[in-house]
Amino acid sequence: MSVVESVLTQPVPEVMGADLVLDAFLRHQVRKVFIFPGGTIAPILDSIERRSRIEIVCPRTEQGAGYAALGHARVTGETAVFMVTSGPGVTNAVTPIADAYYDNIPMVVITGQVGTADMRGDLPVKQRGFQEVDTVDLMTPVAKAAFCVKDIADLPSVLEEAFHLAQSGRQGPVVVDLPMNVQRGTIAPDRLKPVARRTEVVPAVPGERIEILAQWLAESSRPVILAGGGVVAARAWPELRALADKYRIPVTMSMPGMGAYPSDAPLSLGMCGYAGSQYANMAMHKCDLLIGVGTTFHLRQTGSLPDRTVKKGRIARIDLDVNELNHSRVPLDLSINADARVALAALARALERRGAAPDTAPWLEQINDWKAQYPLLTGKPSHLPKPQDIIAAANLALTGRVIVTTGVGQHQVWVPRHFDFALPQRMLLTSSGHGTMGYDLPVAIGARMADPDAKVVCFVGDGSLQMNIQELAVIAEGNLDIKIVVLDNHALNIVAQFQRQVWKSDPSTGKRANPDFAAVARAYGLDAVTITAQDGLERAIAEALARPGPVLIHCHVDPEEDVLPMLLGGQTLDKMSTEWSFAP
């Protein structure tokens, strides 16, 4: 046998399943993986360590890792990779995966699984393998798709499908469950099923419907645009701003849509809905044309009376998800299934061709009157700092590129009320669809890793902070320059306010004992500041935010402070409550 014949007949080395997973990461230019380690993902971690320069980021819990991945994806627009082990690793990962699903965050989740021989399958028993759970059944309701790969030959094609689905259409998390024998098994390359690289197919803009909307807008005298998270996801804020500014159309935003239009601009109505401004809600209710762009018309945006969102006018909606249009909570006069960026550009061209523009001058005067008539409210004077004033002081002190994260509670709605957002310079990251306490710190970690040059500020309540307070260790370990502003009112006060308004008491949510959060931060190795006085507040906040490196700012705020005005159940958008929940 010749040398050439000998080389040609040598068997091709087989490849291991874990290496195929890494190959998919490299093919999709993954730079970081966010993990909480365990035995059933150890083969993949070993492959990453041996064969790549991908950074392994390991927060202190599975939830922390998932939220850090989510924050990284939100800031970069890239698909994040989140990995957990089987059993409790999987069940602890459900919440951040659900958050990514409801807020349309692209993520590929790799879950470890027991070997296929140890899986329960269809047997009428609870469990066969140690730390076995049925991952696909658990994840299917809160993920775009969930796969369990039982044949190593399918692995590259399933991973390719996962990355495609995560980024395509309405983005979201895709879960790939990998049994140990698939990760550790080997296969000859020629036995692998071919990998087909897919490209996203974006719905064509329905030209006739765009023309109808252009006609309605040209005829309108009281238009309002409601910009949602879809505008942010599509990076369509330049098109939105160009349209609004040219035709003098006021813009309100949902919470996930904050920053789609500069919230301090004259045409901005700020946030709408249950905790938005009264003038934004008045404008929506009294308009003659409401154009929703990339928004779900969720209960928190339109209130509990969807049929009465607009008193007397038309409602048009642009959305990438045809199912959202077909099952809209709010009755629609016109639906347009299209990408927000493409649709807004098409609408601008249609209006340009018509050469007509709405006369909105009287409408804008009316809105300015409402802004003067319905200010955002604060409670009675107190020697303790007002949380709204702390947020406003931080807003004044911060310049340049700023990323803000929040937890869930009163502070979550005070932040978009009192902090200015304008993408891409000033970005808000918050749990809007799932509403998860503990979102705050780990998302700030992922955001900081995604954009080291940005100023990252985490506004958090005392209740939300304690959901994932252990992630302070990750901030200290990496010396991540994150400023953590704790608004401590010794209560779960968004729920407490609701209980007081409806039942006149808050038996489980108020007057909670808290630790000295500044001392806790120092124990983790962080710098910390305590603020207890309203006097000199702006200077104290500015000085604390200017300190180098990570800092926790523990603010003891007035516990008797409500979110007002607030839209309650059974109220139309023009009838927000201004009644304090505390007894006089």
Side-chain angles (χ1 to χ4, degrees):
M1 181 183 296
S2 69
V3 174
V4 173
E5 288 174 327
S6 176
V7 170
L8 290 175
T9 57
Q10 289 295 317
V12 177
E14 294 194 337
V15 292
M16 192 170 72
D19 288 332
L20 293 173
V21 175
L22 175 60
D23 290 344
F25 294 170
L26 296 174
R27 192 163 57 245
H28 289 275
Q29 300 179 343
V30 173
R31 294 171 293 157
K32 291 180 175 65
V33 294
F34 295 84
I35 67 105
F36 194 85
T40 60
I41 56 163
I44 302 171
L45 294 176
D46 178 66
S47 182
I48 293 170
E49 181 70 18
R50 282 188 297 105
R51 295 185 48 228
S52 79
R53 295 183 178 180
I54 293 174
E55 181 182 356
I56 297 172
V57 181
C58 184
R60 295 303 185 261
T61 64
E62 290 90 354
Q63 190 177 101
Y67 279 120
L70 186 153
H72 195 273
R74 276 293 310 273
V75 173
T76 63
E78 301 167 358
T79 300
V81 172
F82 168 37
M83 295 173 53
V84 294
T85 195
S86 60
V90 168
T91 55
N92 287 342
V94 169
T95 302
I97 291 169
D99 245 299
Y101 180 63
Y102 293 121
D103 284 352
N104 313 310
I105 312 301
M107 186 185 294
V108 169
V109 185
I110 306 296
T111 59
Q113 184 58 276
V114 301
T116 53
D118 294 323
M119 295 177 71
R120 178 177 63 87
D122 296 327
L123 294 176
V125 296
K126 291 181 180 178
Q127 190 182 55
R128 288 291 292 272
F130 172 65
Q131 292 189 330
E132 178 197 6
V133 296
D134 190 336
T135 301
V136 170
D137 280 358
L138 275 173
M139 296 298 184
T140 295
V142 292
K144 282 191 72 174
F147 306 98
C148 181
V149 182
K150 296 182 180 180
D151 184 344
I152 191 173
D154 296 326
L155 187 51
S157 58
V158 170
L159 288 168
E160 191 65 30
E161 179 73 359
F163 276 96
H164 170 74
L165 288 174
Q167 274 283 355
S168 65
R170 196 172 182 186
Q171 299 173 339
V174 179
V175 179
V176 181
D177 196 40
L178 296 181
M180 276 292 278
N181 59 304
V182 172
Q183 295 181 51
R184 300 187 71 178
T186 60
I187 188 172
D190 59 359
R191 288 187 52 224
L192 292 170
K193 293 183 179 177
V195 175
R197 298 299 298 269
R198 295 174 56 184
T199 56
E200 182 178 358
V201 178
V202 179
V205 176
E208 290 183 3
R209 295 187 174 223
I210 289 289
E211 291 294 337
I212 291 170
L213 182 54
Q215 179 182 338
W216 289 1
L217 190 51
E219 296 169 350
S220 170
S221 60
R222 301 189 311 278
V224 169
I225 295 172
L226 168 53
V231 176
V232 178
R235 285 168 154 49
W237 53 83
E239 288 77 11
L240 174 71
R241 293 173 195 175
L243 181 73
D245 290 346
K246 182 170 183 178
Y247 296 103
R248 308 292 295 158
I249 306 168
V251 179
T252 188
M253 290 159 277
S254 67
M255 187 179 289
M258 289 303 299
Y261 191 82
S263 51
D264 62 348
L267 291 172
S268 173
L269 300 170
M271 187 172 70
C272 66
Y274 92 104
S277 66
Q278 177 69 86
Y279 48 82
N281 289 348
M282 290 285 287
M284 286 172 60
H285 191 63
K286 305 271 188 176
C287 72
D288 61 9
L289 176 61
L290 177 61
I291 304 172
V293 186
T295 181
T296 61
F297 285 129
H298 191 280
L299 172 73
R300 288 197 158 199
Q301 298 160 20
T302 62
S304 61
L305 303 172
D307 293 347
R308 298 167 66 184
T309 300
V310 175
K311 184 176 181 180
K312 190 177 180 181
R314 294 163 165 157
I315 301 177
R317 182 174 171 187
I318 299 168
D319 205 287
L320 186 62
D321 189 340
V322 69
N323 292 319
E324 287 285 353
L325 297 171
N326 291 340
H327 302 281
S328 178
R329 279 185 70 253
V330 172
L332 304 176
D333 298 290
L334 180 67
S335 62
I336 297 174
N337 179 213
D339 172 82
R341 189 169 195 172
V342 177
L344 288 169
L347 179 58
R349 291 193 298 271
L351 286 165
E352 187 73 27
R353 286 193 299 270
R354 288 176 176 274
D359 178 12
T360 61
W363 177 229
L364 296 178
E365 288 181 14
Q366 173 64 79
I367 288 171
N368 285 334
D369 289 344
W370 285 332
K371 286 182 177 182
Q373 186 178 352
Y374 299 110
L376 299 173
L377 302 178
T378 54
K380 63 182 182 295
S382 170
H383 69 281
L384 289 171
K386 294 291 184 180
Q388 304 97 315
D389 293 339
I390 291 168
I391 296 164
N395 181 54
L396 290 174
L398 294 164
T399 59
R401 169 87 166 137
V402 181
I403 301 171
V404 170
T405 74
T406 81
V408 170
Q410 286 180 319
H411 70 279
Q412 183 190 30
V413 295
W414 277 321
V415 166
R417 280 182 165 195
H418 301 281
F419 200 98
D420 294 326
F421 293 98
L423 290 162
Q425 280 294 93
R426 294 168 76 89
M427 172 184 282
L428 173 64
L429 307 183
T430 193
S431 176
S432 50
H434 204 39
T436 308
M437 295 174 69
Y439 176 101
D440 32 73
L441 272 185
V443 168
I445 290 168
R448 180 67 190 172
M449 291 181 171
D451 191 347
D453 295 326
K455 298 179 179 72
V456 178
V457 182
C458 172
F459 288 104
V460 61
D462 50 290
S464 196
L465 173 64
Q466 293 180 90
M467 292 287 183
N468 275 314
I469 196 169
Q470 72 285 336
E471 302 306 336
L472 289 173
V474 180
I475 295 172
E477 188 175 71
N479 194 32
L480 302 176
D481 188 355
I482 298 170
K483 302 302 189 285
I484 305 150
V485 182
V486 185
L487 303 174
D488 182 4
N489 56 14
H490 292 271
L492 305 177
N493 220 25
I494 195 74
V495 178
Q497 179 178 340
F498 172 61
Q499 289 179 313
R500 290 190 299 266
Q501 285 170 325
V502 179
W503 293 286
K504 309 305 178 187
S505 68
D506 56 328
S508 63
T509 52
K511 300 179 178 64
R512 299 168 72 90
N514 284 334
D516 180 342
F517 291 116
V520 172
R522 292 188 191 104
Y524 275 104
L526 301 180
D527 190 9
V529 175
T530 299
I531 294 177
T532 60
Q534 180 75 10
D535 290 344
L537 182 62
E538 283 191 11
R539 180 178 177 181
I541 291 294
E543 288 178 350
L545 291 173
R547 290 191 177 202
V551 181
L552 185 142
I553 307 166
H554 185 187
C555 303
H556 295 267
V557 301
D558 184 357
E560 295 193 2
E561 193 65 36
D562 283 342
V563 174
L564 288 178
M566 180 178 280
L567 185 67
L568 303 181
Q571 291 180 328
T572 52
L573 286 168
D574 61 333
K575 303 291 183 185
M576 295 180 78
S577 172
T578 58
E579 295 184 8
W580 297 95
S581 69
F582 290 96

